[in-house]
Amino acid sequence: MKKFKCFIALDLKSNAQNIGIVKKLYRHVYGFKVGYRSFYNNRSNELISEIKKSKCKLFLDLKLHDIPNTVGSAIDSLSNINPDFLTLHISGGNEMMKAVLNSIKKNKLNTKILGVTLLTSLDGKDSEKIYKERNTGKLVKKFAEIANNLNIHGLICSGDELKVLRKYNKLIKITPGVKMFARNDDQKRVTFAHNALQEGASFVVIGRELIESKKPLYLLKEYGEQNKNKNLWTK
Ligand code: C5P
């Protein structure tokens, strides 16, 4: 069955609410993203089992960033879960990324590692303070180059960065911060999911627009209808 090339971010307050979203949408979407809110919760194992049962992909968005030995052993601890995708910060450095990739191999996991370049919440002023580079596009490219040289499997990138990162055509690109439908209040710099997919994103991440809706399945189907020939679906 064709699936919408999207990860649904399960960021609702309760485990039961997140499980409800999985049950409603699993037939139609490629995967689910479990981030801080739902992972650091004493019942996250129930949510993860539900996702595994659904046969959708599990994306653990833990944005690892620590010394190499610590991140390597974090992978040992995640080996029971064996997520399909896992994030780390590229700014953690080469040795940290190598430790993650080695630990994935050692534990015989299928996990694809995705590098976070620059958080979208940081702007030129922040990046100048932290990295002495005001041009965020340049910085993102530099991080992408480092990750690519280490054979990281993919990148998390905003819709604005897809063009700059086009040359890394072997890397999986996952784009969060996208919308499905236009709304009057936030029109200025919105990337729509179908635009991101047409511009090179392998998958998009959609959260609140669907999970906070009373009719997520209806919205998903409506969106599919409106964008029939726009590369939204897996083959
Ligand atoms: O905004 P929305 O609820 O669709 O966000 C879904 C997910 O995408 C969140 O879990 C967040 O981690 C991620 N996100 C991001 N960068 C943004 C917006 C959202 O990484 N600019």
Side-chain angles (χ1 to χ4, degrees), residues 10-212:
L10 297 170
D11 295 331
L12 289 171
K13 200 169 173 188
S14 80
N15 217 32
Q17 285 172 307
N18 285 319
I19 288 178
I21 292 287
V22 174
K23 288 185 170 158
K24 277 185 191 149
L25 299 183
Y26 76 94
R27 285 193 196 86
H28 306 276
V29 299
Y30 184 74
F32 292 97
K33 180 173 94 75
V34 176
Y36 290 176
R37 188 176 202 182
S38 310
F39 189 74
Y40 297 129
N41 154 331
N42 58 7
R43 293 174 63 188
S44 61
N45 56 338
E46 292 169 20
L47 178 59
I48 286 167
S49 305
E50 194 66 37
I51 298 171
K52 293 251 167 187
K53 207 169 83 189
S54 79
K55 306 269 190 260
C56 286
K57 302 289 181 193
L58 169 64
F59 172 4
L60 272 194
D61 190 12
L62 300 185
K63 297 191 177 72
L64 301 177
H65 192 168
D66 210 318
I67 60 168
N69 184 60
T70 302
V71 289
S73 56
I75 304 296
D76 294 339
S77 299
L78 289 174
S79 63
N80 286 342
I81 298 179
N82 191 8
D84 298 289
F85 298 88
L86 176 70
T87 46
L88 52 68
H89 276 285
I90 298 171
S91 57
N94 282 20
E95 294 311 313
M96 185 197 84
M97 289 189 277
K98 279 188 206 159
V100 169
L101 293 170
N102 287 339
S103 193
I104 293 282
K105 212 167 166 186
K106 184 189 81 186
N107 285 290
K108 299 190 172 64
L109 304 182
N110 311 316
T111 311
K112 302 256 188 281
I113 300 300
L114 307 168
V116 175
T117 53
L118 186 69
L119 291 173
T120 47
S121 50
L122 302 180
D123 63 10
K125 270 190 198 160
D126 297 309
S127 74
E128 184 165 37
K129 265 192 208 148
I130 306 169
Y131 298 108
K132 302 213 179 333
E133 174 58 75
R134 203 182 176 85
N135 183 330
T136 53
K138 257 193 190 168
L139 198 59
V140 165
K141 230 172 149 178
K142 203 161 146 187
F143 280 135
E145 189 67 34
I146 294 170
N148 190 44
N149 288 339
L150 280 182
N151 293 323
I152 289 282
H153 306 96
L155 298 171
I156 303 296
C157 52
S158 78
D160 294 338
E161 293 154 7
L162 285 165
K163 277 200 187 97
V164 184
L165 300 177
R166 194 165 277 165
K167 72 170 193 168
Y168 302 107
N169 53 9
K170 290 210 184 93
L171 294 181
I172 302 164
K173 287 172 210 123
I174 301 192
T175 301
V178 298
K179 292 264 172 289
M180 295 161 67
F181 299 100
R183 284 213 329 240
N184 298 330
D185 52 346
D186 55 1
Q187 287 294 321
K188 279 184 195 143
R189 283 186 65 230
V190 170
T191 302
F192 288 102
H194 51 276
N195 293 141
L197 291 168
Q198 285 182 314
E199 284 166 16
S202 320
F203 303 98
V204 292
V205 177
I206 297 178
R208 287 163 295 179
E209 197 176 357
L210 277 179
I211 63 174
E212 290 179 358

